[in-house]
Amino acid sequence: MSYQVEPLPDSYAQVGEGPHWCEARQSLYYVDVSSAGINRYDFQQNKIFKAKIEGEKVVSFIIPIEGRSQEFAVGCTRRCAIIQWDGLSPVAKVVRNLFEIRPELKDNRLNDAKADPNGRFFGGTMAHGIEDFLNVWNGELYSWQAGGQLNVLKEKVGLSNGLAWDTKAKKMYYSDTNNFEVESYDYDQTTGAVSNPKVAFDLRKIRPEGPMYPDGITIDTEGNIYVATFWGGTVFKVDPSSGKILLEIAIPTSQVTSVTFGGPNLDILYVTTADITDQPKPAGTVFQVTGLNSKGFPGVSLKI
């Protein structure tokens, strides 16, 4: 298979994360975690618009709110907040908070999150402000839906990361980076319940000497998952039913953070990366991968 990897113009983020393709706006949203930066790549204009969230230091995800064209849910340290942003202005403002994670876990912050196929919030936490967070297991995985309370799905999480759903197979896929694994769960789309975790993909078997950590994930219409590898410089296309690697997509930088499908035909794989610890260029760039002959799903907006 011949695929092409190209950088998006002016797409740098020190810690690029949380890519979300909005079909209605034909735009890719993503964040710069360490600067509270939010970004929108306009496909038609081939241009990126950047903003900072006023008064915040960290942003870990951005999810459009259903039915509200200028409102987004964002992870601001310990809060899931709603911001107002027109997609053009250099500043966005928090207008209210949806919820806050458990106060007794004071060293945690929100990390990756998405809306599931029914528009519920799924997301988790990691240790914040602790130098060796890869050896700390105080994180949790949560779900939340409009009118409800924050629901703890999993405790003793290291670094909560990628999420993807396969409604046909009734599965949810989830990566806890510290485990070197992507897990599969039985998923009830009607209730949002998850159960019966199993290892779907184990990165320790690929590079036992390490380090190569699973980060963000996405899924295509055939049920294959795409796993970004931090320190791995690659995205793996994997059959989650067997754990078999179907394709290794080489990315020209080491700290690959997340992936999502987008574009008018949902056949472009967008890949975010990071530039932590002074990596050489093009670290921190967002890349588009074309020629994969695969399609994915648009991002789901959050129902509030």
Side-chain angles (χ1 to χ4, degrees):
M1 177 181 292
S2 176
Y3 61 84
Q4 298 79 44
V5 179
E6 301 169 292
L8 296 187
D10 191 32
S11 59
Y12 178 84
Q14 185 180 26
V15 189
E17 261 287 8
H20 177 107
W21 177 259
C22 178
E23 194 167 35
R25 302 174 181 92
Q26 290 292 292
S27 292
L28 178 77
Y29 291 88
Y30 65 100
V31 302
D32 187 349
V33 175
S34 55
S35 68
I38 54 174
N39 308 281
R40 180 178 73 89
Y41 170 65
D42 188 299
F43 182 86
Q44 296 298 335
Q45 297 185 57
N46 193 33
K47 181 179 179 180
I48 288 179
F49 297 88
K50 299 184 176 185
K52 300 282 183 161
I53 303 176
E54 189 174 74
E56 302 295 336
K57 295 181 179 180
V58 170
V59 59
S60 53
F61 59 82
I62 180 167
I63 310 170
I65 300 299
E66 185 178 88
R68 305 184 186 188
S69 62
Q70 296 190 12
E71 290 191 1
F72 302 82
V74 294
C76 290
T77 312
R78 300 179 55 79
R79 297 150 29 242
C80 180
I82 302 297
I83 60 166
Q84 192 162 29
W85 187 41
D86 61 6
L88 302 171
S89 305
V91 176
K93 295 185 178 181
V94 174
V95 293
R96 63 190 183 281
N97 294 322
L98 274 185
F99 57 81
E100 187 167 344
I101 58 175
R102 297 205 292 166
E104 60 267 32
L105 299 173
K106 58 184 177 58
D107 290 324
N108 283 1
R109 74 155 172 85
L110 284 162
N111 198 44
D112 206 2
K114 290 180 180 178
D116 82 343
N118 278 33
R120 305 177 188 91
F121 173 93
F122 277 71
T125 54
M126 60 177 283
H128 182 52
I130 297 173
E131 185 175 347
D132 190 17
F133 60 81
L134 288 173
N135 288 314
V136 178
W137 301 86
N138 291 336
E140 296 182 320
L141 177 65
Y142 304 107
S143 65
W144 175 91
Q145 61 183 5
Q149 300 296 314
L150 195 63
N151 180 32
V152 179
L153 299 176
K154 185 176 183 179
E155 298 177 319
K156 296 183 179 178
V157 168
L159 202 170
S160 187
N161 244 314
L163 290 154
W165 291 265
D166 184 335
T167 56
K168 290 182 182 177
K170 299 181 180 180
K171 295 290 185 182
M172 182 185 86
Y173 300 100
Y174 170 63
S175 61
D176 177 350
T177 294
N178 287 13
N179 271 339
F180 298 91
E181 298 169 348
V182 177
E183 292 181 318
S184 70
Y185 288 77
D186 294 338
Y187 166 68
D188 186 323
Q189 186 176 353
T190 303
T191 65
V194 295
S195 60
N196 195 27
K198 295 180 179 178
V199 176
F201 183 50
D202 187 346
L203 273 76
R204 282 166 296 204
K205 295 179 180 178
I206 302 162
R207 191 185 293 176
E209 71 277 12
M212 182 163 59
Y213 298 100
D215 206 315
I217 58 179
T218 194
I219 192 166
D220 67 21
T221 55
E222 296 179 344
N224 303 304
I225 59 173
Y226 296 70
V227 183
T229 63
F230 198 88
W231 291 123
T234 194
V235 175
F236 289 113
K237 177 182 179 179
V238 178
D239 177 351
S241 63
S242 65
K244 180 182 178 182
I245 295 171
L246 304 176
L247 179 67
E248 182 174 348
I249 304 166
I251 305 299
T253 187
S254 178
Q255 298 173 348
V256 184
T257 56
S258 196
V259 285
T260 197
F261 279 97
N265 300 314
L266 297 170
D267 59 354
I268 300 171
L269 187 70
Y270 291 104
V271 182
T272 55
T273 69
D275 177 17
I276 303 171
T277 62
D278 296 321
Q279 295 294 299
K281 292 182 178 180
T285 297
V286 179
F287 296 91
Q288 62 174 18
V289 184
T290 55
L292 291 171
N293 295 320
S294 296
K295 291 187 177 184
F297 302 95
V300 179
S301 296
L302 184 67
K303 294 179 179 179
I304 63 170

